[in-house]
CSV table of all heavy atoms in Angstrom, one decimal:
chain,number,residue,atom,x,y,z
A,1,PHE,N,9.4,-2.0,-11.9
A,1,PHE,CA,8.9,-1.3,-10.7
A,1,PHE,C,9.3,-2.1,-9.5
A,1,PHE,O,9.6,-1.6,-8.5
A,1,PHE,CB,7.4,-1.2,-10.8
A,1,PHE,CG,6.7,-0.8,-9.6
A,1,PHE,CD1,6.7,0.5,-9.1
A,1,PHE,CD2,6.1,-1.8,-8.8
A,1,PHE,CE1,6.1,0.9,-7.9
A,1,PHE,CE2,5.5,-1.4,-7.6
A,1,PHE,CZ,5.5,-0.1,-7.1
A,2,LEU,N,9.2,-3.5,-9.5
A,2,LEU,CA,9.5,-4.3,-8.4
A,2,LEU,C,11.0,-4.1,-8.0
A,2,LEU,O,11.3,-4.0,-6.8
A,2,LEU,CB,9.2,-5.8,-8.7
A,2,LEU,CG,7.7,-6.1,-8.9
A,2,LEU,CD1,7.6,-7.6,-9.2
A,2,LEU,CD2,6.9,-5.8,-7.6
A,3,LEU,N,11.8,-4.1,-9.0
A,3,LEU,CA,13.3,-3.9,-8.7
A,3,LEU,C,13.6,-2.6,-8.1
A,3,LEU,O,14.4,-2.5,-7.2
A,3,LEU,CB,14.1,-4.1,-10.0
A,3,LEU,CG,14.1,-5.5,-10.6
A,3,LEU,CD1,15.0,-5.5,-11.8
A,3,LEU,CD2,14.6,-6.5,-9.6
A,4,LEU,N,12.9,-1.5,-8.5
A,4,LEU,CA,13.2,-0.2,-8.0
A,4,LEU,C,12.5,0.0,-6.7
A,4,LEU,O,13.0,0.8,-5.8
A,4,LEU,CB,12.7,0.9,-9.0
A,4,LEU,CG,13.5,0.9,-10.3
A,4,LEU,CD1,12.8,1.9,-11.3
A,4,LEU,CD2,14.9,1.2,-10.1
A,5,TRP,N,11.3,-0.6,-6.5
A,5,TRP,CA,10.5,-0.3,-5.2
A,5,TRP,C,11.2,-1.0,-4.0
A,5,TRP,O,11.1,-0.5,-2.9
A,5,TRP,CB,9.1,-0.8,-5.4
A,5,TRP,CG,8.2,-0.7,-4.2
A,5,TRP,CD1,7.5,-1.7,-3.7
A,5,TRP,CD2,8.0,0.4,-3.4
A,5,TRP,NE1,6.8,-1.3,-2.5
A,5,TRP,CE2,7.1,0.0,-2.4
A,5,TRP,CE3,8.4,1.7,-3.4
A,5,TRP,CZ2,6.7,0.9,-1.4
A,5,TRP,CZ3,8.0,2.6,-2.4
A,5,TRP,CH2,7.1,2.2,-1.4
A,6,ALA,N,11.8,-2.2,-4.3
A,6,ALA,CA,12.3,-3.0,-3.1
A,6,ALA,C,13.3,-2.2,-2.3
A,6,ALA,O,13.2,-2.1,-1.1
A,6,ALA,CB,12.9,-4.3,-3.7
A,7,PRO,N,14.4,-1.6,-2.9
A,7,PRO,CA,15.3,-0.9,-2.0
A,7,PRO,C,14.7,0.3,-1.3
A,7,PRO,O,15.0,0.7,-0.2
A,7,PRO,CB,16.5,-0.5,-2.9
A,7,PRO,CG,15.9,-0.6,-4.3
A,7,PRO,CD,14.9,-1.6,-4.2
A,8,VAL,N,13.8,1.0,-2.1
A,8,VAL,CA,13.1,2.2,-1.5
A,8,VAL,C,12.3,1.8,-0.3
A,8,VAL,O,12.2,2.4,0.7
A,8,VAL,CB,12.3,2.9,-2.6
A,8,VAL,CG1,11.5,4.0,-1.9
A,8,VAL,CG2,13.2,3.5,-3.7
A,9,TYR,N,11.5,0.7,-0.5
A,9,TYR,CA,10.7,0.2,0.5
A,9,TYR,C,11.5,-0.2,1.8
A,9,TYR,O,11.1,0.2,2.9
A,9,TYR,CB,10.0,-1.1,0.0
A,9,TYR,CG,9.1,-1.8,1.0
A,9,TYR,CD1,7.7,-1.6,1.0
A,9,TYR,CD2,9.6,-2.6,2.0
A,9,TYR,CE1,6.9,-2.3,2.0
A,9,TYR,CE2,8.8,-3.3,2.9
A,9,TYR,CZ,7.5,-3.1,2.9
A,9,TYR,OH,6.7,-3.7,3.8
A,10,LEU,N,12.5,-0.9,1.6
A,10,LEU,CA,13.3,-1.3,2.8
A,10,LEU,C,14.0,-0.2,3.5
A,10,LEU,O,14.0,-0.1,4.8
A,10,LEU,CB,14.4,-2.3,2.3
A,10,LEU,CG,13.9,-3.7,1.8
A,10,LEU,CD1,15.0,-4.5,1.2
A,10,LEU,CD2,13.1,-4.4,2.9
A,11,LEU,N,14.4,0.8,2.8
A,11,LEU,CA,14.9,2.1,3.4
A,11,LEU,C,13.9,2.8,4.2
A,11,LEU,O,14.1,3.1,5.4
A,11,LEU,CB,15.4,3.0,2.3
A,11,LEU,CG,15.8,4.4,2.7
A,11,LEU,CD1,17.0,4.3,3.7
A,11,LEU,CD2,16.2,5.3,1.5
A,12,ARG,N,12.7,2.9,3.7
A,12,ARG,CA,11.6,3.5,4.4
A,12,ARG,C,11.2,2.7,5.6
A,12,ARG,O,10.8,3.3,6.7
A,12,ARG,CB,10.4,3.8,3.5
A,12,ARG,CG,10.7,4.8,2.4
A,12,ARG,CD,9.6,5.0,1.5
A,12,ARG,NE,8.4,5.5,2.2
A,12,ARG,CZ,7.2,5.7,1.6
A,12,ARG,NH1,7.0,5.4,0.3
A,12,ARG,NH2,6.2,6.2,2.3
A,13,ALA,N,11.2,1.4,5.5
A,13,ALA,CA,10.8,0.5,6.6
A,13,ALA,C,11.8,0.6,7.7
A,13,ALA,O,11.4,0.7,8.9
A,13,ALA,CB,10.7,-0.9,6.1
A,14,VAL,N,13.1,0.6,7.4
A,14,VAL,CA,14.1,0.7,8.5
A,14,VAL,C,14.0,2.1,9.2
A,14,VAL,O,14.0,2.2,10.4
A,14,VAL,CB,15.5,0.6,7.8
A,14,VAL,CG1,16.6,1.0,8.8
A,14,VAL,CG2,15.7,-0.9,7.4
A,15,ARG,N,13.8,3.1,8.4
A,15,ARG,CA,13.7,4.5,9.0
A,15,ARG,C,12.5,4.6,9.9
A,15,ARG,O,12.5,5.2,11.0
A,15,ARG,CB,13.5,5.5,7.9
A,15,ARG,CG,13.5,7.0,8.4
A,15,ARG,CD,13.6,8.0,7.2
A,15,ARG,NE,13.7,9.3,7.7
A,15,ARG,CZ,12.6,10.1,7.9
A,15,ARG,NH1,11.4,9.7,7.7
A,15,ARG,NH2,12.8,11.3,8.4
A,16,ARG,N,11.3,4.0,9.5
A,16,ARG,CA,10.1,4.1,10.3
A,16,ARG,C,10.2,3.3,11.6
A,16,ARG,O,9.9,3.8,12.7
A,16,ARG,CB,8.9,3.7,9.5
A,16,ARG,CG,7.6,3.7,10.3
A,16,ARG,CD,6.4,3.6,9.5
A,16,ARG,NE,5.2,3.8,10.3
A,16,ARG,CZ,4.0,3.9,9.8
A,16,ARG,NH1,3.8,3.8,8.5
A,16,ARG,NH2,3.0,4.1,10.6
A,17,VAL,N,10.6,2.0,11.5
A,17,VAL,CA,10.6,1.1,12.6
A,17,VAL,C,11.7,1.5,13.6
A,17,VAL,O,11.5,1.5,14.8
A,17,VAL,CB,10.8,-0.3,12.2
A,17,VAL,CG1,11.0,-1.2,13.4
A,17,VAL,CG2,9.6,-0.8,11.3
A,18,TYR,N,12.9,1.9,13.1
A,18,TYR,CA,14.0,2.2,14.0
A,18,TYR,C,14.2,3.7,14.3
A,18,TYR,O,15.1,4.1,15.0
A,18,TYR,CB,15.3,1.6,13.5
A,18,TYR,CG,15.3,0.1,13.6
A,18,TYR,CD1,14.9,-0.7,12.5
A,18,TYR,CD2,15.7,-0.5,14.7
A,18,TYR,CE1,14.9,-2.0,12.6
A,18,TYR,CE2,15.7,-1.9,14.8
A,18,TYR,CZ,15.3,-2.6,13.7
A,18,TYR,OH,15.3,-4.0,13.8
A,19,GLN,N,13.2,4.5,13.7
A,19,GLN,CA,13.2,5.9,14.0
A,19,GLN,C,14.6,6.6,13.8
A,19,GLN,O,15.1,7.2,14.7
A,19,GLN,CB,12.7,6.2,15.4
A,19,GLN,CG,11.3,5.7,15.6
A,19,GLN,CD,10.7,6.0,17.0
A,19,GLN,OE1,11.2,6.9,17.7
A,19,GLN,NE2,9.7,5.2,17.4
A,20,LEU,N,15.1,6.5,12.5
A,20,LEU,CA,16.4,7.0,12.2
A,20,LEU,C,16.2,8.2,11.2
A,20,LEU,O,15.2,8.3,10.5
A,20,LEU,CB,17.2,5.9,11.5
A,20,LEU,CG,17.5,4.7,12.4
A,20,LEU,CD1,18.2,3.6,11.5
A,20,LEU,CD2,18.5,5.0,13.5
A,21,SER,N,17.3,9.0,11.1
A,21,SER,CA,17.3,10.0,10.1
A,21,SER,C,17.6,9.3,8.7
A,21,SER,O,18.0,8.1,8.7
A,21,SER,CB,18.4,11.0,10.4
A,21,SER,OG,19.7,10.3,10.3
A,22,TRP,N,17.3,10.0,7.6
A,22,TRP,CA,17.6,9.4,6.3
A,22,TRP,C,19.0,8.9,6.1
A,22,TRP,O,19.2,7.7,5.7
A,22,TRP,CB,17.2,10.4,5.2
A,22,TRP,CG,15.7,10.6,5.0
A,22,TRP,CD1,15.0,11.7,5.3
A,22,TRP,CD2,14.8,9.6,4.5
A,22,TRP,NE1,13.6,11.4,5.0
A,22,TRP,CE2,13.5,10.2,4.5
A,22,TRP,CE3,14.9,8.3,4.0
A,22,TRP,CZ2,12.4,9.5,4.1
A,22,TRP,CZ3,13.8,7.6,3.6
A,22,TRP,CH2,12.6,8.2,3.6
A,23,PRO,N,20.0,9.7,6.5
A,23,PRO,CA,21.4,9.1,6.3
A,23,PRO,C,21.7,7.9,7.1
A,23,PRO,O,22.3,6.9,6.6
A,23,PRO,CB,22.3,10.3,6.7
A,23,PRO,CG,21.5,11.5,6.6
A,23,PRO,CD,20.1,11.1,6.9
A,24,TRP,N,21.2,7.9,8.4
A,24,TRP,CA,21.5,6.7,9.2
A,24,TRP,C,20.6,5.5,8.8
A,24,TRP,O,21.1,4.4,8.8
A,24,TRP,CB,21.2,7.0,10.7
A,24,TRP,CG,22.3,7.7,11.4
A,24,TRP,CD1,22.3,9.0,11.8
A,24,TRP,CD2,23.6,7.2,11.7
A,24,TRP,NE1,23.5,9.3,12.4
A,24,TRP,CE2,24.3,8.2,12.3
A,24,TRP,CE3,24.2,6.0,11.5
A,24,TRP,CZ2,25.6,8.1,12.8
A,24,TRP,CZ3,25.5,5.8,12.0
A,24,TRP,CH2,26.2,6.8,12.6
């Protein structure tokens, strides 16, 4: 779970903080 959650977490964090679309 930790291995799988880490990349998903970072993707969602970048999207939220920098207000980007999913592809960007």
Side-chain angles (χ1 to χ4, degrees):
F1 170 76
L2 293 178
L3 291 183
L4 294 176
W5 176 234
V8 173
Y9 176 101
L10 295 172
L11 171 61
R12 293 178 62 185
V14 168
R15 183 172 185 268
R16 176 167 189 173
V17 173
Y18 290 93
Q19 298 180 24
L20 299 170
S21 63
W22 284 111
W24 280 111

